[in-house]
Amino acid sequence: MKAAVSSFRASLDRTQATLARWLAPGTPSQQNNALNLYREIAWYGVTASVTTTFTSVFALRLGASNLLIGLLASLPALMNVVFQIPAARLIEQTQDRRRVLLMSGLWMRLPVGLIALVPFFAGHWQAEAVVLITSLGTIPAAVANVVFTAMLADVVPPHRRARVVSVRNTLLSAVTMLTALAVGKALDLFVFPFSYQAIFALAFATSLVSLFYLARVDVPLHIPSPAPRLLSGWSDIQRWMRSVWDQRAFSRFTLGSFVFHWALSFPQPLYSIYRVRVLGMSEGWIGALSMLESAIFMASYYVWGKAAEKHGSRLVLLVGTAGLSFYPLSMGLCRSIPPMILVAVLSGVAAPAFNLGLFNALLEVAPAERRATYVAIFNTLVNLTAFIAPLVAAALAGVIGTRVSLLLAGGLRFVGLAVFYLLLRDPVTGRVRS
């Protein structure tokens, strides 16, 4: 009996120590950077789960049309197209990147709280207000994403980068999974729209906690790059484009990503429309499928992180690209809710490989001395596809139907996969380089 009590007390002490370690404010130091990055993403997981899973569903419940759902997917991308490169230039000329990250991080979180207030002040324009607020929040997010990518390369050594990214995404998936399940059930139990207002208020509060831990990351001061000369004519533009194209590893990788992202972005507005209007899913089912997808996602990230260390990021990227090519095709073939479970499993396996491979490969091919600018160029081109393709899909769905549009998206992704493979393989050996 005494042994059992002692074992229980020891387990309780370990649990208490673990909780204290995760909930403690943390010390800003290079040694604690990884832990603070893990804490930050764990708290942000609540926000990410609510915004990614339920923003479009909220807009649909408020009466959003197909066009509005298309704009919800595409307008944030337009903001990224406009602001990514100016943000990168600002960041490269800034000594204290941490300050820029925290200010932009705060501003990108405010729209989540504003969405909770929409039913109070938007009148008959509530769905439009959700789309507008979400889109405007992408402006500071464009700055935050560029500076975070550049900052991560400064605070995490290259040999630990794949591990830190995979652990962060595993934590994100775990929190997203639990949040989606709990939120989906809560939305079914409580009165609309109060239920949505409550979950967006909760998401805003947890996002501020994540910002607190992000502030504990010790970021070294950056040596500002000289202010770039303004492009004053077509010859200057040509010279600048040539200098980017001459970075062959970067340009080939970006071109392949650009082509595939057309097909990746095309069906984005169709997913919510198909689930809500065609299959008639409740919030509980949407949350449960999101939870399952996050659970598979979490387990897969660890496996793909190990695979990236052993076989290289590019091979992992291509495997994930192949898996994602089946995703819209599989969804379009589902005529009832139960088969969507297999679709969620497919996404949970393929998406981590794609995300991890894409992120690590981008950091590898972007020139270190101008990494922020090259990441911004990449993001700008990718977001150009994310702006145009969803609008085309939303309009096309009204003509040929949502299911046929999803099947078309699957075909487009296989074309993008072939282009990606041709551009990433070694022209001499024919193999994908690690």
mmCIF file of all heavy atoms in Angstrom, residues 118-166:
data_model
loop_
_atom_site.group_PDB
_atom_site.id
_atom_site.type_symbol
_atom_site.label_atom_id
_atom_site.label_comp_id
_atom_site.label_asym_id
_atom_site.label_seq_id
_atom_site.Cartn_x
_atom_site.Cartn_y
_atom_site.Cartn_z
ATOM 1 N N VAL A 118 -19.202 40.722 -34.311
ATOM 2 C CA VAL A 118 -19.945 40.972 -35.556
ATOM 3 C C VAL A 118 -21.464 40.963 -35.368
ATOM 4 O O VAL A 118 -22.153 41.867 -35.848
ATOM 5 C CB VAL A 118 -19.502 39.973 -36.653
ATOM 6 C CG1 VAL A 118 -20.519 39.915 -37.787
ATOM 7 C CG2 VAL A 118 -18.146 40.381 -37.206
ATOM 8 N N PRO A 119 -22.061 39.979 -34.695
ATOM 9 C CA PRO A 119 -23.531 39.995 -34.554
ATOM 10 C C PRO A 119 -24.068 41.224 -33.819
ATOM 11 O O PRO A 119 -25.260 41.532 -33.914
ATOM 12 C CB PRO A 119 -23.816 38.713 -33.758
ATOM 13 C CG PRO A 119 -22.673 37.809 -34.079
ATOM 14 C CD PRO A 119 -21.486 38.726 -34.175
ATOM 15 N N PHE A 120 -23.216 41.938 -33.067
ATOM 16 C CA PHE A 120 -23.673 43.100 -32.323
ATOM 17 C C PHE A 120 -23.782 44.357 -33.188
ATOM 18 O O PHE A 120 -24.602 45.229 -32.902
ATOM 19 C CB PHE A 120 -22.717 43.400 -31.160
ATOM 20 C CG PHE A 120 -22.773 42.377 -30.047
ATOM 21 C CD1 PHE A 120 -21.617 42.009 -29.383
ATOM 22 C CD2 PHE A 120 -23.971 41.796 -29.669
ATOM 23 C CE1 PHE A 120 -21.652 41.077 -28.357
ATOM 24 C CE2 PHE A 120 -24.018 40.859 -28.644
ATOM 25 C CZ PHE A 120 -22.860 40.496 -27.991
ATOM 26 N N PHE A 121 -22.920 44.476 -34.216
ATOM 27 C CA PHE A 121 -22.854 45.766 -34.910
ATOM 28 C C PHE A 121 -23.008 45.703 -36.428
ATOM 29 O O PHE A 121 -23.096 46.738 -37.076
ATOM 30 C CB PHE A 121 -21.526 46.475 -34.591
ATOM 31 C CG PHE A 121 -20.301 45.782 -35.105
ATOM 32 C CD1 PHE A 121 -19.902 45.897 -36.427
ATOM 33 C CD2 PHE A 121 -19.528 45.016 -34.255
ATOM 34 C CE1 PHE A 121 -18.760 45.269 -36.895
ATOM 35 C CE2 PHE A 121 -18.383 44.374 -34.714
ATOM 36 C CZ PHE A 121 -18.010 44.508 -36.039
ATOM 37 N N ALA A 122 -23.037 44.524 -37.032
ATOM 38 C CA ALA A 122 -22.979 44.452 -38.491
ATOM 39 C C ALA A 122 -24.350 44.494 -39.159
ATOM 40 O O ALA A 122 -24.426 44.598 -40.387
ATOM 41 C CB ALA A 122 -22.233 43.193 -38.932
ATOM 42 N N GLY A 123 -25.443 44.398 -38.407
ATOM 43 C CA GLY A 123 -26.771 44.467 -39.014
ATOM 44 C C GLY A 123 -26.994 43.371 -40.029
ATOM 45 O O GLY A 123 -26.785 42.184 -39.752
ATOM 46 N N HIS A 124 -27.421 43.784 -41.240
ATOM 47 C CA HIS A 124 -27.685 42.821 -42.315
ATOM 48 C C HIS A 124 -26.415 42.434 -43.075
ATOM 49 O O HIS A 124 -26.491 41.673 -44.040
ATOM 50 C CB HIS A 124 -28.713 43.398 -43.292
ATOM 51 C CG HIS A 124 -30.060 43.642 -42.668
ATOM 52 N ND1 HIS A 124 -30.860 42.610 -42.214
ATOM 53 C CD2 HIS A 124 -30.736 44.787 -42.407
ATOM 54 C CE1 HIS A 124 -31.979 43.107 -41.706
ATOM 55 N NE2 HIS A 124 -31.933 44.432 -41.809
ATOM 56 N N TRP A 125 -25.277 42.980 -42.697
ATOM 57 C CA TRP A 125 -24.024 42.742 -43.429
ATOM 58 C C TRP A 125 -23.061 41.895 -42.606
ATOM 59 O O TRP A 125 -21.857 42.062 -42.682
ATOM 60 C CB TRP A 125 -23.376 44.078 -43.790
ATOM 61 C CG TRP A 125 -24.258 44.959 -44.616
ATOM 62 C CD1 TRP A 125 -25.128 45.904 -44.165
ATOM 63 C CD2 TRP A 125 -24.379 44.933 -46.033
ATOM 64 N NE1 TRP A 125 -25.783 46.502 -45.221
ATOM 65 C CE2 TRP A 125 -25.348 45.913 -46.384
ATOM 66 C CE3 TRP A 125 -23.789 44.185 -47.050
ATOM 67 C CZ2 TRP A 125 -25.722 46.158 -47.697
ATOM 68 C CZ3 TRP A 125 -24.151 44.426 -48.365
ATOM 69 C CH2 TRP A 125 -25.102 45.397 -48.671
ATOM 70 N N GLN A 126 -23.606 40.960 -41.830
ATOM 71 C CA GLN A 126 -22.764 40.201 -40.921
ATOM 72 C C GLN A 126 -21.791 39.276 -41.655
ATOM 73 O O GLN A 126 -20.605 39.202 -41.306
ATOM 74 C CB GLN A 126 -23.642 39.394 -39.958
ATOM 75 C CG GLN A 126 -24.440 40.277 -39.013
ATOM 76 C CD GLN A 126 -25.336 39.489 -38.091
ATOM 77 O OE1 GLN A 126 -25.325 38.253 -38.094
ATOM 78 N NE2 GLN A 126 -26.127 40.187 -37.283
ATOM 79 N N ALA A 127 -22.268 38.561 -42.663
ATOM 80 C CA ALA A 127 -21.377 37.670 -43.412
ATOM 81 C C ALA A 127 -20.284 38.472 -44.109
ATOM 82 O O ALA A 127 -19.109 38.076 -44.128
ATOM 83 C CB ALA A 127 -22.181 36.866 -44.435
ATOM 84 N N GLU A 128 -20.673 39.612 -44.690
ATOM 85 C CA GLU A 128 -19.675 40.466 -45.366
ATOM 86 C C GLU A 128 -18.649 40.998 -44.367
ATOM 87 O O GLU A 128 -17.458 41.110 -44.683
ATOM 88 C CB GLU A 128 -20.375 41.640 -46.061
ATOM 89 C CG GLU A 128 -21.192 41.253 -47.286
ATOM 90 C CD GLU A 128 -22.569 40.716 -46.948
ATOM 91 O OE1 GLU A 128 -22.909 40.580 -45.746
ATOM 92 O OE2 GLU A 128 -23.334 40.433 -47.890
ATOM 93 N N ALA A 129 -19.106 41.302 -43.148
ATOM 94 C CA ALA A 129 -18.182 41.808 -42.126
ATOM 95 C C ALA A 129 -17.154 40.754 -41.734
ATOM 96 O O ALA A 129 -15.970 41.067 -41.532
ATOM 97 C CB ALA A 129 -18.975 42.257 -40.890
ATOM 98 N N VAL A 130 -17.579 39.501 -41.621
ATOM 99 C CA VAL A 130 -16.643 38.422 -41.293
ATOM 100 C C VAL A 130 -15.556 38.316 -42.364
ATOM 101 O O VAL A 130 -14.360 38.197 -42.062
ATOM 102 C CB VAL A 130 -17.389 37.079 -41.145
ATOM 103 C CG1 VAL A 130 -16.401 35.915 -41.049
ATOM 104 C CG2 VAL A 130 -18.276 37.106 -39.911
ATOM 105 N N VAL A 131 -15.958 38.387 -43.620
ATOM 106 C CA VAL A 131 -14.992 38.300 -44.725
ATOM 107 C C VAL A 131 -14.038 39.485 -44.693
ATOM 108 O O VAL A 131 -12.808 39.336 -44.846
ATOM 109 C CB VAL A 131 -15.727 38.234 -46.079
ATOM 110 C CG1 VAL A 131 -14.736 38.292 -47.234
ATOM 111 C CG2 VAL A 131 -16.565 36.961 -46.163
ATOM 112 N N LEU A 132 -14.572 40.699 -44.486
ATOM 113 C CA LEU A 132 -13.734 41.900 -44.483
ATOM 114 C C LEU A 132 -12.746 41.897 -43.327
ATOM 115 O O LEU A 132 -11.546 42.177 -43.509
ATOM 116 C CB LEU A 132 -14.624 43.151 -44.408
ATOM 117 C CG LEU A 132 -13.889 44.500 -44.366
ATOM 118 C CD1 LEU A 132 -13.081 44.700 -45.650
ATOM 119 C CD2 LEU A 132 -14.876 45.642 -44.164
ATOM 120 N N ILE A 133 -13.211 41.561 -42.134
ATOM 121 C CA ILE A 133 -12.329 41.547 -40.963
ATOM 122 C C ILE A 133 -11.219 40.514 -41.128
ATOM 123 O O ILE A 133 -10.046 40.774 -40.838
ATOM 124 C CB ILE A 133 -13.147 41.268 -39.688
ATOM 125 C CG1 ILE A 133 -14.053 42.455 -39.372
ATOM 126 C CG2 ILE A 133 -12.229 40.981 -38.503
ATOM 127 C CD1 ILE A 133 -15.061 42.174 -38.277
ATOM 128 N N THR A 134 -11.584 39.326 -41.624
ATOM 129 C CA THR A 134 -10.582 38.285 -41.840
ATOM 130 C C THR A 134 -9.531 38.737 -42.846
ATOM 131 O O THR A 134 -8.326 38.507 -42.665
ATOM 132 C CB THR A 134 -11.254 36.994 -42.332
ATOM 133 O OG1 THR A 134 -12.229 36.565 -41.373
ATOM 134 C CG2 THR A 134 -10.230 35.883 -42.530
ATOM 135 N N SER A 135 -9.970 39.406 -43.897
ATOM 136 C CA SER A 135 -9.045 39.851 -44.946
ATOM 137 C C SER A 135 -8.103 40.933 -44.433
ATOM 138 O O SER A 135 -6.899 40.902 -44.708
ATOM 139 C CB SER A 135 -9.838 40.367 -46.146
ATOM 140 O OG SER A 135 -10.687 39.360 -46.654
ATOM 141 N N LEU A 136 -8.629 41.901 -43.694
ATOM 142 C CA LEU A 136 -7.784 42.972 -43.169
ATOM 143 C C LEU A 136 -6.759 42.435 -42.175
ATOM 144 O O LEU A 136 -5.638 42.952 -42.081
ATOM 145 C CB LEU A 136 -8.645 44.048 -42.507
ATOM 146 C CG LEU A 136 -9.522 44.882 -43.447
ATOM 147 C CD1 LEU A 136 -10.390 45.858 -42.661
ATOM 148 C CD2 LEU A 136 -8.668 45.627 -44.470
ATOM 149 N N GLY A 137 -7.117 41.385 -41.450
ATOM 150 C CA GLY A 137 -6.171 40.793 -40.522
ATOM 151 C C GLY A 137 -4.975 40.156 -41.192
ATOM 152 O O GLY A 137 -3.954 39.882 -40.548
ATOM 153 N N THR A 138 -5.088 39.930 -42.492
ATOM 154 C CA THR A 138 -3.975 39.321 -43.227
ATOM 155 C C THR A 138 -2.843 40.307 -43.471
ATOM 156 O O THR A 138 -1.716 39.894 -43.752
ATOM 157 C CB THR A 138 -4.476 38.764 -44.565
ATOM 158 O OG1 THR A 138 -5.686 38.046 -44.343
ATOM 159 C CG2 THR A 138 -3.466 37.811 -45.184
ATOM 160 N N ILE A 139 -3.115 41.612 -43.380
ATOM 161 C CA ILE A 139 -2.063 42.609 -43.624
ATOM 162 C C ILE A 139 -0.958 42.492 -42.576
ATOM 163 O O ILE A 139 0.214 42.292 -42.930
ATOM 164 C CB ILE A 139 -2.661 44.028 -43.676
ATOM 165 C CG1 ILE A 139 -3.659 44.146 -44.834
ATOM 166 C CG2 ILE A 139 -1.541 45.068 -43.818
ATOM 167 C CD1 ILE A 139 -4.385 45.468 -44.888
ATOM 168 N N PRO A 140 -1.267 42.590 -41.271
ATOM 169 C CA PRO A 140 -0.190 42.367 -40.297
ATOM 170 C C PRO A 140 0.312 40.923 -40.293
ATOM 171 O O PRO A 140 1.484 40.667 -39.980
ATOM 172 C CB PRO A 140 -0.842 42.722 -38.956
ATOM 173 C CG PRO A 140 -2.302 42.595 -39.180
ATOM 174 C CD PRO A 140 -2.524 42.983 -40.611
ATOM 175 N N ALA A 141 -0.559 39.972 -40.679
ATOM 176 C CA ALA A 141 -0.116 38.570 -40.737
ATOM 177 C C ALA A 141 0.970 38.387 -41.788
ATOM 178 O O ALA A 141 1.873 37.561 -41.621
ATOM 179 C CB ALA A 141 -1.295 37.657 -41.029
ATOM 180 N N ALA A 142 0.889 39.151 -42.891
ATOM 181 C CA ALA A 142 1.922 39.065 -43.932
ATOM 182 C C ALA A 142 3.281 39.450 -43.368
ATOM 183 O O ALA A 142 4.302 38.801 -43.641
ATOM 184 C CB ALA A 142 1.552 39.962 -45.106
ATOM 185 N N VAL A 143 3.303 40.517 -42.564
ATOM 186 C CA VAL A 143 4.551 40.940 -41.928
ATOM 187 C C VAL A 143 5.019 39.890 -40.921
ATOM 188 O O VAL A 143 6.185 39.502 -40.903
ATOM 189 C CB VAL A 143 4.367 42.305 -41.230
ATOM 190 C CG1 VAL A 143 5.660 42.751 -40.561
ATOM 191 C CG2 VAL A 143 3.894 43.355 -42.230
ATOM 192 N N ALA A 144 4.084 39.413 -40.092
ATOM 193 C CA ALA A 144 4.442 38.449 -39.055
ATOM 194 C C ALA A 144 4.987 37.153 -39.640
ATOM 195 O O ALA A 144 5.955 36.585 -39.128
ATOM 196 C CB ALA A 144 3.215 38.160 -38.179
ATOM 197 N N ASN A 145 4.397 36.675 -40.727
ATOM 198 C CA ASN A 145 4.843 35.411 -41.316
ATOM 199 C C ASN A 145 6.251 35.518 -41.886
ATOM 200 O O ASN A 145 7.075 34.609 -41.723
ATOM 201 C CB ASN A 145 3.866 34.977 -42.417
ATOM 202 C CG ASN A 145 2.532 34.534 -41.856
ATOM 203 O OD1 ASN A 145 2.430 34.155 -40.698
ATOM 204 N ND2 ASN A 145 1.489 34.596 -42.676
ATOM 205 N N VAL A 146 6.534 36.635 -42.556
ATOM 206 C CA VAL A 146 7.873 36.806 -43.137
ATOM 207 C C VAL A 146 8.920 36.928 -42.038
ATOM 208 O O VAL A 146 9.969 36.284 -42.078
ATOM 209 C CB VAL A 146 7.910 38.034 -44.070
ATOM 210 C CG1 VAL A 146 9.337 38.309 -44.534
ATOM 211 C CG2 VAL A 146 7.018 37.807 -45.276
ATOM 212 N N VAL A 147 8.645 37.762 -41.039
ATOM 213 C CA VAL A 147 9.640 37.970 -39.989
ATOM 214 C C VAL A 147 9.799 36.712 -39.141
ATOM 215 O O VAL A 147 10.908 36.388 -38.685
ATOM 216 C CB VAL A 147 9.284 39.190 -39.120
ATOM 217 C CG1 VAL A 147 8.080 38.940 -38.251
ATOM 218 C CG2 VAL A 147 10.467 39.592 -38.252
ATOM 219 N N PHE A 148 8.726 35.923 -38.942
ATOM 220 C CA PHE A 148 8.859 34.695 -38.165
ATOM 221 C C PHE A 148 9.724 33.677 -38.898
ATOM 222 O O PHE A 148 10.563 33.015 -38.283
ATOM 223 C CB PHE A 148 7.486 34.086 -37.877
ATOM 224 C CG PHE A 148 7.569 32.842 -37.035
ATOM 225 C CD1 PHE A 148 7.666 32.926 -35.656
ATOM 226 C CD2 PHE A 148 7.581 31.586 -37.621
ATOM 227 C CE1 PHE A 148 7.768 31.782 -34.872
ATOM 228 C CE2 PHE A 148 7.675 30.438 -36.853
ATOM 229 C CZ PHE A 148 7.770 30.540 -35.470
ATOM 230 N N THR A 149 9.524 33.548 -40.220
ATOM 231 C CA THR A 149 10.340 32.604 -40.989
ATOM 232 C C THR A 149 11.808 32.981 -40.932
ATOM 233 O O THR A 149 12.678 32.131 -40.727
ATOM 234 C CB THR A 149 9.856 32.568 -42.451
ATOM 235 O OG1 THR A 149 8.474 32.216 -42.486
ATOM 236 C CG2 THR A 149 10.646 31.546 -43.253
ATOM 237 N N ALA A 150 12.095 34.289 -41.118
ATOM 238 C CA ALA A 150 13.483 34.747 -41.046
ATOM 239 C C ALA A 150 14.044 34.580 -39.636
ATOM 240 O O ALA A 150 15.195 34.178 -39.450
ATOM 241 C CB ALA A 150 13.569 36.205 -41.488
ATOM 242 N N MET A 151 13.217 34.865 -38.620
ATOM 243 C CA MET A 151 13.648 34.756 -37.236
ATOM 244 C C MET A 151 13.933 33.313 -36.849
ATOM 245 O O MET A 151 14.908 33.022 -36.146
ATOM 246 C CB MET A 151 12.572 35.349 -36.327
ATOM 247 C CG MET A 151 12.887 35.300 -34.834
ATOM 248 S SD MET A 151 12.361 33.763 -34.019
ATOM 249 C CE MET A 151 10.585 33.875 -34.147
ATOM 250 N N LEU A 152 13.096 32.375 -37.321
ATOM 251 C CA LEU A 152 13.287 30.972 -36.982
ATOM 252 C C LEU A 152 14.636 30.466 -37.470
ATOM 253 O O LEU A 152 15.310 29.688 -36.790
ATOM 254 C CB LEU A 152 12.160 30.128 -37.584
ATOM 255 C CG LEU A 152 12.107 28.664 -37.139
ATOM 256 C CD1 LEU A 152 11.737 28.573 -35.666
ATOM 257 C CD2 LEU A 152 11.123 27.869 -37.975
ATOM 258 N N ALA A 153 15.034 30.919 -38.643
ATOM 259 C CA ALA A 153 16.333 30.514 -39.169
ATOM 260 C C ALA A 153 17.474 31.076 -38.328
ATOM 261 O O ALA A 153 18.563 30.501 -38.283
ATOM 262 C CB ALA A 153 16.471 30.988 -40.620
ATOM 263 N N ASP A 154 17.230 32.197 -37.620
ATOM 264 C CA ASP A 154 18.267 32.805 -36.785
ATOM 265 C C ASP A 154 18.364 32.164 -35.408
ATOM 266 O O ASP A 154 19.449 32.117 -34.824
ATOM 267 C CB ASP A 154 17.988 34.309 -36.604
ATOM 268 C CG ASP A 154 18.174 35.099 -37.902
ATOM 269 O OD1 ASP A 154 18.926 34.622 -38.771
ATOM 270 O OD2 ASP A 154 17.563 36.176 -38.030
ATOM 271 N N VAL A 155 17.243 31.679 -34.872
ATOM 272 C CA VAL A 155 17.243 31.196 -33.480
ATOM 273 C C VAL A 155 17.311 29.688 -33.363
ATOM 274 O O VAL A 155 17.550 29.169 -32.263
ATOM 275 C CB VAL A 155 15.997 31.726 -32.719
ATOM 276 C CG1 VAL A 155 15.960 33.236 -32.734
ATOM 277 C CG2 VAL A 155 14.708 31.144 -33.273
ATOM 278 N N VAL A 156 17.097 28.958 -34.466
ATOM 279 C CA VAL A 156 17.167 27.494 -34.433
ATOM 280 C C VAL A 156 18.270 27.041 -35.390
ATOM 281 O O VAL A 156 18.212 27.331 -36.583
ATOM 282 C CB VAL A 156 15.823 26.850 -34.832
ATOM 283 C CG1 VAL A 156 15.932 25.331 -34.792
ATOM 284 C CG2 VAL A 156 14.701 27.327 -33.916
ATOM 285 N N PRO A 157 19.273 26.316 -34.902
ATOM 286 C CA PRO A 157 20.353 25.849 -35.776
ATOM 287 C C PRO A 157 19.816 24.927 -36.875
ATOM 288 O O PRO A 157 18.814 24.222 -36.667
ATOM 289 C CB PRO A 157 21.275 25.073 -34.822
ATOM 290 C CG PRO A 157 20.922 25.552 -33.453
ATOM 291 C CD PRO A 157 19.470 25.922 -33.496
ATOM 292 N N PRO A 158 20.479 24.908 -38.040
ATOM 293 C CA PRO A 158 19.980 24.085 -39.160
ATOM 294 C C PRO A 158 19.799 22.611 -38.812
ATOM 295 O O PRO A 158 18.828 21.988 -39.250
ATOM 296 C CB PRO A 158 21.070 24.269 -40.230
ATOM 297 C CG PRO A 158 21.678 25.598 -39.917
ATOM 298 C CD PRO A 158 21.640 25.727 -38.426
ATOM 299 N N HIS A 159 20.694 22.058 -37.995
ATOM 300 C CA HIS A 159 20.587 20.619 -37.690
ATOM 301 C C HIS A 159 19.402 20.299 -36.773
ATOM 302 O O HIS A 159 18.993 19.140 -36.668
ATOM 303 C CB HIS A 159 21.890 20.120 -37.055
ATOM 304 C CG HIS A 159 22.153 20.674 -35.670
ATOM 305 N ND1 HIS A 159 22.735 21.925 -35.476
ATOM 306 C CD2 HIS A 159 21.909 20.171 -34.427
ATOM 307 C CE1 HIS A 159 22.854 22.147 -34.177
ATOM 308 N NE2 HIS A 159 22.357 21.106 -33.524
ATOM 309 N N ARG A 160 18.826 21.314 -36.114
ATOM 310 C CA ARG A 160 17.676 21.093 -35.242
ATOM 311 C C ARG A 160 16.376 21.595 -35.862
ATOM 312 O O ARG A 160 15.302 21.440 -35.277
ATOM 313 C CB ARG A 160 17.887 21.813 -33.900
ATOM 314 C CG ARG A 160 19.021 21.273 -33.055
ATOM 315 C CD ARG A 160 18.953 21.858 -31.662
ATOM 316 N NE ARG A 160 17.697 21.503 -31.002
ATOM 317 C CZ ARG A 160 17.219 22.169 -29.947
ATOM 318 N NH1 ARG A 160 17.857 23.219 -29.466
ATOM 319 N NH2 ARG A 160 16.076 21.795 -29.388
ATOM 320 N N ARG A 161 16.462 22.208 -37.019
ATOM 321 C CA ARG A 161 15.307 22.906 -37.586
ATOM 322 C C ARG A 161 14.159 21.944 -37.892
ATOM 323 O O ARG A 161 13.001 22.210 -37.564
ATOM 324 C CB ARG A 161 15.741 23.667 -38.836
ATOM 325 C CG ARG A 161 14.860 24.850 -39.176
ATOM 326 C CD ARG A 161 15.491 25.672 -40.271
ATOM 327 N NE ARG A 161 16.630 26.440 -39.791
ATOM 328 C CZ ARG A 161 17.642 26.818 -40.555
ATOM 329 N NH1 ARG A 161 17.692 26.483 -41.826
ATOM 330 N NH2 ARG A 161 18.622 27.542 -40.041
ATOM 331 N N ALA A 162 14.467 20.820 -38.542
ATOM 332 C CA ALA A 162 13.402 19.876 -38.887
ATOM 333 C C ALA A 162 12.711 19.347 -37.637
ATOM 334 O O ALA A 162 11.485 19.204 -37.606
ATOM 335 C CB ALA A 162 13.965 18.712 -39.707
ATOM 336 N N ARG A 163 13.490 19.096 -36.582
ATOM 337 C CA ARG A 163 12.905 18.584 -35.341
ATOM 338 C C ARG A 163 12.006 19.633 -34.685
ATOM 339 O O ARG A 163 10.881 19.328 -34.264
ATOM 340 C CB ARG A 163 14.008 18.155 -34.372
ATOM 341 C CG ARG A 163 13.460 17.728 -33.022
ATOM 342 C CD ARG A 163 14.554 17.177 -32.119
ATOM 343 N NE ARG A 163 14.037 16.877 -30.793
ATOM 344 C CZ ARG A 163 13.310 15.815 -30.488
ATOM 345 N NH1 ARG A 163 13.015 14.935 -31.418
ATOM 346 N NH2 ARG A 163 12.881 15.624 -29.260
ATOM 347 N N VAL A 164 12.496 20.876 -34.602
ATOM 348 C CA VAL A 164 11.708 21.930 -33.955
ATOM 349 C C VAL A 164 10.416 22.178 -34.726
ATOM 350 O O VAL A 164 9.331 22.301 -34.132
ATOM 351 C CB VAL A 164 12.535 23.227 -33.838
ATOM 352 C CG1 VAL A 164 11.648 24.402 -33.407
ATOM 353 C CG2 VAL A 164 13.675 23.046 -32.843
ATOM 354 N N VAL A 165 10.516 22.220 -36.050
ATOM 355 C CA VAL A 165 9.315 22.450 -36.871
ATOM 356 C C VAL A 165 8.332 21.294 -36.706
ATOM 357 O O VAL A 165 7.117 21.505 -36.575
ATOM 358 C CB VAL A 165 9.696 22.645 -38.351
ATOM 359 C CG1 VAL A 165 8.451 22.678 -39.239
ATOM 360 C CG2 VAL A 165 10.480 23.941 -38.527
ATOM 361 N N SER A 166 8.835 20.062 -36.696
ATOM 362 C CA SER A 166 7.937 18.910 -36.574
ATOM 363 C C SER A 166 7.281 18.852 -35.195
ATOM 364 O O SER A 166 6.091 18.544 -35.078
ATOM 365 C CB SER A 166 8.680 17.605 -36.862
ATOM 366 O OG SER A 166 9.705 17.387 -35.912
#
